[in-house]
Amino acid sequence: MTVNEDYLKRLTEANGIGGNEGQLRQLFKEETKDVAEEYLQDGLGGIFAKHTGAEDGPRVMLAGHMDEVGFMVKEITDEGFIKFVTIGAWWSQVMLAQQVTITTRDQKTYHGVTGSKPPHVLTAEARKKPMEVKDIFIDLGASSKEEVEKWGIRPGDMITPYIETRRLNDTKFLLGKAWDNRIGMAVAIDVLKELAEEGHKTVLFSGANVQEEVGLRGARTAAHLLNPDISFALDTGTAGDTPGMTKDESASHLGKGPQIIVYDASMISHKGLRDFVIDIAERDNIPYQLEFIPGGGTDAGSQHLSLNGIPSLAITVPVRYLHSHTSVIHEDDYLNMVKLVKAVVKELDTETLKQIKENA
């Protein structure tokens, strides 16, 4: 398998914050229409393609999430500037002087830039402190509230980072605005396509949840819809290979394999499932990294608490500069995550599911 850059570009450059993931649902359907037996969509908007390898096989959920971190229009000032609320977790120090896109309810888009008071008018003490989010605004080049309203912009409209997805200087490093979590979506799509061709022994539901970045909300509704025997969150995790990072903060390096999340703030991974995945990775010589993320979580945190408790695990691609306008991944981690997830699903049947549950 090789990287399809045009495909990844479409996924990452599509705009979709929590509660406004329609562009991604459409892209998912376009990419999977040739292999999906049917689509299942929960009431919040999560979407999954079903593919049956064995009618009596375990029901398996592979879930990326469609939403990216972004913003929402809160207010239009009399002078035509936009005040906003954050949708997802943001660090204010990465938000200033960044380009953004506002998408209206009619899917028209407008370009803007984040701004604040210049440092020239701040006191020496104020310059040392991060700018508070409430003091940041968006400049659209408008002259009045009336002008902005004529464009069709209104409170509640989606605001997303603006950046061109690209390969960094002919390396294996890929730059994009929304690897969290369009790369998880890409893995879900790729695994579905390959298993539909190669065969498997499960009832597979592969797709993406909504509203992960605002509290793992869509994962719970999707799990109730699909009623899986086992579930995987396909997401992103922190990388520890940049200056200043320590092994205690993250032991993962880009290019050294997908991460198997042992522990994070949302869950302790299911021991039987974790061991099962590690054994397959080692058997097939697929590189992997064990990771602990006490300050974050994935949709597996909601999936494992749904229904009567679902054995769950998060498998992730390490990412530099998460929750910012510009994040970086390594293409080998993406390709090896596809290999690993596909190999795991191909090994799943009623007997292996029983063994996994017995080893909880």
Side-chain angles (χ1 to χ4, degrees):
M1 179 181 175
T2 58
V3 171
N4 183 333
E5 291 186 46
D6 289 337
Y7 158 59
L8 293 181
K9 186 178 179 71
R10 289 194 301 275
L11 284 175
T12 52
E13 293 187 359
N15 297 316
I17 61 171
N20 200 328
E21 296 97 342
Q23 291 184 30
L24 281 307
R25 270 192 299 277
Q26 184 59 38
L27 274 174
F28 178 79
K29 288 181 178 180
E30 290 172 5
E31 292 292 337
T32 59
K33 63 181 184 296
D34 293 334
V35 294
E37 297 170 1
E38 64 174 311
Y39 292 104
L40 292 89
Q41 182 171 322
D42 66 60
L44 296 184
I47 189 166
F48 292 81
K50 179 181 179 182
H51 189 274
T52 305
E55 289 281 359
D56 59 349
R59 297 169 68 88
V60 177
M61 177 183 186
L62 301 181
H65 67 84
M66 290 179 275
D67 58 314
E68 62 189 294
V69 293
F71 317 97
M72 181 185 288
V73 175
K74 178 183 178 184
E75 176 189 348
I76 305 168
T77 71
D78 291 341
E79 298 79 19
F81 295 98
I82 302 295
K83 303 294 287 184
F84 59 85
V85 295
T86 55
I87 304 298
W90 280 91
W91 189 36
S92 65
Q93 297 200 122
V94 303
M95 289 171 55
L96 283 174
Q98 298 286 351
Q99 297 181 70
V100 297
T101 302
I102 296 182
T103 304
T104 70
R105 64 181 295 176
D106 298 324
Q107 298 303 301
K108 293 180 181 178
T109 57
Y110 293 89
H111 205 70
V113 61
T114 57
S116 69
K117 285 183 179 181
H120 311 70
V121 302
L122 300 177
T123 66
E125 188 63 29
R127 293 183 196 182
K128 298 176 183 178
K129 299 177 181 178
M131 184 65 63
E132 292 189 44
V133 173
K134 68 180 179 61
D135 295 324
I136 302 173
F137 53 82
I138 294 170
D139 186 345
L140 297 172
S143 300
S144 67
K145 181 176 183 178
E146 290 74 24
E147 183 176 11
V148 174
E149 289 176 337
K150 285 181 181 178
W151 293 343
I153 295 173
R154 65 181 72 190
D157 283 347
M158 170 172 63
I159 308 170
T160 46
Y162 174 86
I163 179 179
E164 180 184 351
T165 302
R166 65 175 65 199
R167 184 177 294 275
L168 281 176
N169 305 310
D170 295 322
T171 69
K172 290 188 174 184
F173 294 90
L174 304 173
L175 178 75
K177 76 169 172 69
W179 292 126
D180 183 10
N181 181 31
R182 306 298 160 65
I183 199 61
M185 278 190 70
V187 172
I189 292 168
D190 294 338
V191 170
L192 173 68
K193 289 180 176 179
E194 294 189 23
L195 288 175
E197 181 178 344
E198 298 175 18
H200 57 101
K201 294 167 282 189
T202 74
V203 180
L204 180 63
F205 302 93
S206 192
N209 300 316
V210 296
Q211 299 191 37
E212 190 270 355
E213 298 292 2
V214 291
L216 317 182
R217 298 174 185 175
R220 191 180 299 269
T221 56
H224 277 265
L225 173 70
L226 303 178
N227 190 25
D229 295 304
I230 202 162
S231 70
F232 296 89
L234 310 179
D235 209 327
T236 57
T238 53
D241 59 352
T242 54
M245 290 289 286
T246 68
K247 289 184 178 180
D248 284 340
E249 292 165 334
S250 174
S252 298
H253 286 229
L254 268 65
K256 292 191 175 181
Q259 300 163 306
I260 297 171
I261 306 301
V262 179
Y263 167 89
D264 64 31
S266 68
M267 70 175 292
I268 301 168
S269 62
H270 188 280
K271 182 182 181 300
L273 183 54
R274 183 177 75 232
D275 291 346
F276 179 74
V277 172
I278 290 171
D279 288 347
I280 290 172
E282 293 180 347
R283 181 198 70 188
D284 293 353
N285 295 314
I286 301 171
Y288 69 92
Q289 306 179 78
L290 297 179
E291 188 57 271
F292 295 73
I293 309 178
T298 72
D299 274 335
S302 280
Q303 288 161 198
H304 86 292
L305 293 176
S306 297
L307 303 170
N308 294 323
I310 302 168
S312 303
L313 183 70
I315 304 176
T316 62
V317 171
V319 178
R320 294 175 183 165
Y321 325 122
L322 280 165
H323 288 207
S324 72
H325 275 63
T326 53
S327 53
V328 176
I329 66 169
H330 194 289
E331 65 176 30
D332 287 350
D333 296 329
Y334 156 54
L335 296 175
N336 280 315
M337 185 162 157
V338 173
K339 288 181 184 178
L340 178 57
V341 176
K342 184 178 71 170
V344 167
V345 177
K346 290 186 81 167
E347 287 294 317
L348 285 170
D349 55 24
T350 53
E351 182 57 34
T352 55
L353 175 63
K354 180 181 177 182
Q355 294 171 7
I356 288 168
K357 289 184 174 182
E358 287 176 348
N359 291 328

